[in-house]
Amino acid sequence: MSATPTPGKTLVSPTDHVLIMIDFQSQMAFATKSIDAVLLRNNAALIASAAAGFKVPTILTTVAEKSFSGPMFDEITEAFPGQPLLDRTSMNTWEDAGVIDHLNTLGKTRVVFAGLWTSVCIVSPALSAIDQGFEVYVIADACGDVTDEAHDRAMDRMVQAGARPMTSLQYLLELQRDWARTETYDMTTGIAKKLGGAYGLGIIYAKSMFNAHEG
């Protein structure tokens, strides 16, 4: 056996998956307690900005937007100006024919999920997708639930079924993966500076003080 300088097959790239962002809406956020609302909005903005910047096929879906749950976070819709939101009645996105029809047109077998709540609106489509042979990833810190227990048990259940957990910043950096990819370098570091927390502050400091450059 010998090593080769090639990425592992389970790493995500901009062209190999669909991102589905589910029910990032006011009514769902009000009861979310497993993650701070400011951090949740930041992480949602981070993955939306990353997906839009890397041109990842992205589905934005809401539940009862006009009658109960309210609008999707501005941080998400602003990253995808003009993109329609697919509104549902079903708690399980995978049971909505409109969403699935759109997913099928994209032709991807790898799906990345994020949204509210983890134990309902993420578990249901994740388990349904796995059951139908799709490869599933869940961005854990861009999901939330009514309690820590609810979120953690939902993540456990999905991982036990074969889903792969990841984080928001991990998602951004995995899409970039190589700082020699200069065409997306400024975009990636720009997103990180704005939404990447302490890592973003480090980039700002290094560039300001030393004109440093990753890679």
Side-chain angles (χ1 to χ4, degrees):
M1 180 184 298
S2 60
T4 60
T6 54
K9 293 179 181 178
T10 60
L11 295 175
V12 299
S13 73
T15 59
D16 71 0
H17 70 282
V18 176
L19 174 65
I20 304 182
M21 303 190 73
I22 300 172
D23 301 353
F24 284 101
Q25 298 169 265
S26 306
Q27 183 65 33
M28 306 302 293
F30 292 154
T32 297
K33 304 300 180 187
S34 65
I35 183 171
D36 176 76
V38 174
L39 181 58
L40 174 67
R41 292 176 67 181
N42 181 87
N43 291 345
L46 195 159
I47 63 173
S49 298
F54 281 97
K55 297 179 173 55
V56 174
T58 302
I59 294 173
L60 308 179
T61 181
T62 55
V63 64
E65 178 191 8
K66 302 299 184 183
S67 60
F68 183 76
S69 299
M72 183 168 267
F73 297 175
D74 287 346
E75 292 90 341
I76 297 172
T77 56
E78 287 172 0
F80 300 97
Q83 179 166 324
L85 307 181
L86 304 182
D87 198 48
R88 318 178 320 278
T89 59
S90 62
M91 286 181 278
N92 181 5
T93 294
W94 212 262
E95 294 181 47
D96 184 89
V99 173
I100 296 305
D101 286 347
H102 185 47
L103 175 68
N104 285 335
T105 67
L106 298 173
K108 307 294 184 183
T109 59
R110 176 177 286 179
V111 183
V112 178
F113 289 105
L116 303 175
W117 296 319
T118 323
S119 64
V120 182
C121 301
I122 302 301
V123 158
S124 295
L127 297 184
S128 301
I130 290 169
D131 192 57
Q132 293 180 20
F134 285 79
E135 189 179 0
V136 168
Y137 292 70
V138 179
I139 305 179
D141 65 350
C143 297
D145 216 313
V146 295
T147 63
D148 289 347
E149 184 77 6
H151 173 77
D152 292 344
R153 297 295 76 76
M155 291 301 305
D156 289 344
R157 186 177 177 189
M158 289 185 285
V159 170
Q160 288 169 0
R164 296 186 172 101
M166 63 193 312
T167 66
S168 301
L169 186 57
Q170 179 184 2
Y171 180 70
L172 168 66
L173 297 180
E174 203 159 308
L175 294 179
Q176 175 68 29
R177 203 180 304 151
D178 187 343
W179 295 119
R181 294 173 180 167
T182 55
E183 67 276 10
T184 53
Y185 174 86
D186 287 339
M187 177 194 71
T188 298
T189 55
I191 294 171
K193 284 190 288 186
K194 182 179 180 181
L195 301 164
Y199 172 58
L201 288 176
I203 295 174
I204 294 170
Y205 176 83
K207 288 186 178 296
S208 298
M209 302 299 291
F210 314 114
N211 195 30
H213 192 281
E214 301 238 34

